[in-house]
């Protein structure tokens, strides 16, 4: 494995009043440097995952550094031997991660950042409530020991879950985490606004923790779901053994792929009996196009990307 492709997951909450004007210059930087992936721009900041050569990724971050607002954009890097994305996209959004609650602004109020090296000590505290802010299919692949799974199917469900299950007067210390740090940063802003006194979140997210904390000291269990065609990464950030069902987006194991209900690109044991016919027909057509592209040795996008 050559590991010649750099995968950079990045975000920053920062006020970008002119964010629509940034779209085209940013896209041109990506195209000029053969960078693939998707970046989201909103008034509250930037978010996304991109991939390219070392020189290409360095050129992108040089472009960020030319703008004081983006000079210190947070990012984590991992490596693979094939491009995990097929196109370069820059999208304009209302939020860079969608919570759907007006007034939540990490640029004005945010929880306490916890460095990966200090995370174990925090979550080992029995008084700390540890919450995984990711969606159910991500948590099923791996999570921190002792973490609560809200069983949400989208981040929009998180505020209602908190209201229904936790009380600021009883739950004094709350620690949260997510893949790259962005979801839990916004969640911490929301929870402070709801009256929770001490709110902590893992700086750089799970990916930074896996990068910096030795495996023999880890509190992490399983693989980490990532938002590209690798599907999951192990503790050493190498590509995991999971695939993804492109009909229902659920990560699928080697055992799932042996099931009679698994049809590549069309169904898996998690969705074979609950897909509507429109979705099933779309999956069949997409798989047909993938197979035709493979036969022609052409790029074959495997379905839409699911952002944090």
């Amino acid at each position: 494995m050559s590991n010649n492709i750099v995968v950079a997951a990045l975000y920053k909450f920062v006020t970008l009043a002119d964010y629509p004007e940034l779209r085209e210059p940013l896209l041109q930087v990506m195209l000029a440097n053969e960078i693939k992936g998707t970046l989201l721009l909103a008034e509250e900041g930037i978010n996304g995952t991109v991939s390219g050569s070392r020189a290409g990724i360095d050129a992108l971050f040089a472009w960020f550094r030319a703008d004081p607002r983006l000079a210190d954009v947070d990012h984590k890097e991992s490596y693979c031997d094939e491009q995990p994305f097929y196109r370069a996209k820059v999208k304009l959004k209302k939020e860079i991660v969608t919570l759907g609650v007006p007034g939540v602004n990490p640029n004005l109020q945010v929880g306490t950042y916890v460095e990966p090296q200090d995370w174990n000590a925090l979550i080992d505290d029995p008084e700390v409530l540890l919450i995984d802010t990711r969606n159910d299919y991500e948590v099923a692949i791996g999570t921190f020991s002792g973490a609560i799974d809200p069983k949400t199917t989208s981040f929009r469900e998180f505020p209602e879950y908190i209201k229904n299950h936790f009380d600021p007067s009883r739950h004094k210390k709350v620690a949260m985490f997510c893949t790259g740090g962005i979801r839990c940063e916004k969640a911490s802003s929301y929870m402070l606004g709801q009256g929770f006194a001490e709110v902590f979140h893992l700086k750089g997210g799970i990916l930074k923790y896996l990068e910096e904390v030795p495996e023999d000291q880890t509190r992490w269990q399983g693989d980490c779901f990532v938002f590209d065609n690798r599907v999951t990464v192990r503790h050493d950030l190498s590509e995991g053994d999971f695939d993804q069902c492109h009909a229902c987006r659920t990560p699928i194991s080697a055992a799932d792929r042996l099931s009679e209900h698994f049809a590549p690109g069309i169904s898996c044991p998690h969705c074979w009996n609950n897909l509507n016919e429109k979705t099933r027909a779309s999956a069949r057509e997409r798989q047909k196009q993938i197979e035709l592209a493979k036969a022609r040795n052409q790029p074959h996008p495997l379905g839409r990307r699911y952002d944090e």
Side-chain angles (χ1 to χ4, degrees):
M1 184 178 293
S2 58
N3 282 339
N4 61 338
I5 301 296
V6 181
V7 182
L10 63 95
Y11 83 93
K12 185 180 181 184
F13 284 105
V14 59
T15 301
L16 300 174
D18 61 341
Y19 73 96
E21 284 71 50
L22 297 176
R23 180 185 179 275
E24 191 59 30
L26 183 52
L27 179 60
Q28 290 306 315
V29 170
M30 293 177 67
L31 293 174
N33 291 282
E34 298 183 340
I35 295 170
K36 311 292 186 183
T38 301
L39 292 175
L40 308 179
L41 289 171
E43 187 170 357
E44 68 178 10
I46 186 170
N47 177 32
T49 305
V50 294
S51 58
S53 66
R54 176 77 271 166
I57 296 297
D58 288 346
L60 174 64
F61 281 89
W63 187 86
F64 288 145
R65 286 193 297 274
D67 186 328
R69 299 170 300 177
L70 300 173
D72 59 346
V73 63
D74 182 86
H75 81 287
K76 282 76 58 183
E77 292 186 355
S78 56
Y79 306 90
C80 57
D81 61 344
E82 293 182 0
Q83 267 284 8
F85 300 113
Y86 297 99
R87 300 186 182 96
K89 299 178 183 178
V90 180
K91 297 181 178 180
L92 303 181
K93 296 286 186 177
K94 290 182 179 179
E95 300 178 74
I96 56 173
V97 58
T98 305
L99 185 64
V101 178
V104 176
N105 187 350
N107 291 314
L108 301 177
Q109 177 177 244
V110 73
T112 301
Y113 297 95
V114 180
E115 296 290 343
Q117 300 91 329
D118 301 323
W119 184 247
N120 288 355
L122 174 67
I123 67 175
D124 286 347
D125 182 345
E127 294 185 2
V128 169
L129 181 71
L130 180 61
I131 304 176
D132 193 330
T133 67
R134 301 171 305 151
N135 297 330
D136 53 3
Y137 64 92
E138 300 170 76
V139 180
I141 299 302
T143 190
F144 281 105
S145 176
I148 294 171
D149 175 9
K151 300 188 184 303
T152 54
T153 59
S154 79
F155 192 41
R156 283 180 174 272
E157 298 173 7
F158 185 79
E160 190 67 22
Y161 172 81
I162 294 298
K163 287 182 180 179
N164 291 339
H165 291 85
F166 303 114
D167 181 350
S169 66
R170 291 191 298 114
H171 302 101
K172 302 293 186 180
K173 293 182 180 180
V174 180
M176 296 179 295
F177 62 93
C178 58
T179 308
I182 184 171
R183 248 181 299 192
C184 52
E185 187 162 340
K186 196 158 194 178
S188 77
S189 181
Y190 166 77
M191 293 189 73
L192 287 170
Q194 296 299 303
F196 290 87
E198 294 184 76
V199 182
F200 305 90
H201 51 105
L202 177 57
K203 187 175 182 180
I206 300 161
L207 293 177
K208 199 67 175 176
Y209 179 92
L210 298 182
E211 178 185 334
E212 295 191 359
V213 175
E215 195 162 355
D216 62 0
Q217 299 174 22
T218 192
R219 300 294 190 275
W220 179 259
Q221 298 175 333
D223 281 12
C224 178
F225 183 88
V226 290
F227 297 91
D228 59 58
N229 291 337
R230 295 171 299 171
V231 184
T232 68
V233 294
R234 302 184 182 93
H235 199 289
D236 64 359
L237 298 180
S238 64
E239 185 172 343
D241 295 323
F242 285 82
D243 202 343
Q244 188 172 29
C245 174
H246 297 290
C248 71
R249 79 179 182 179
T250 303
I252 48 179
S253 66
D256 290 331
R257 295 194 289 272
L258 295 175
S259 168
E260 62 179 315
H261 301 304
F262 175 65
I266 298 172
S267 67
C268 75
H270 304 282
C271 70
W272 70 276
N273 63 346
N274 58 25
L275 288 179
N276 63 51
E277 189 50 43
K278 181 178 179 181
T279 301
R280 197 179 299 277
S282 175
R284 289 196 193 99
E285 179 58 29
R286 182 173 58 235
Q287 186 63 22
K288 177 183 175 182
Q289 296 304 317
I290 289 171
E291 291 170 0
L292 287 172
K294 284 182 177 178
R296 300 176 187 133
N297 197 29
Q298 295 175 338
H300 47 281
L302 296 180
R304 69 186 181 92
R305 176 181 182 272
Y306 294 88
D307 297 315
E308 284 201 300

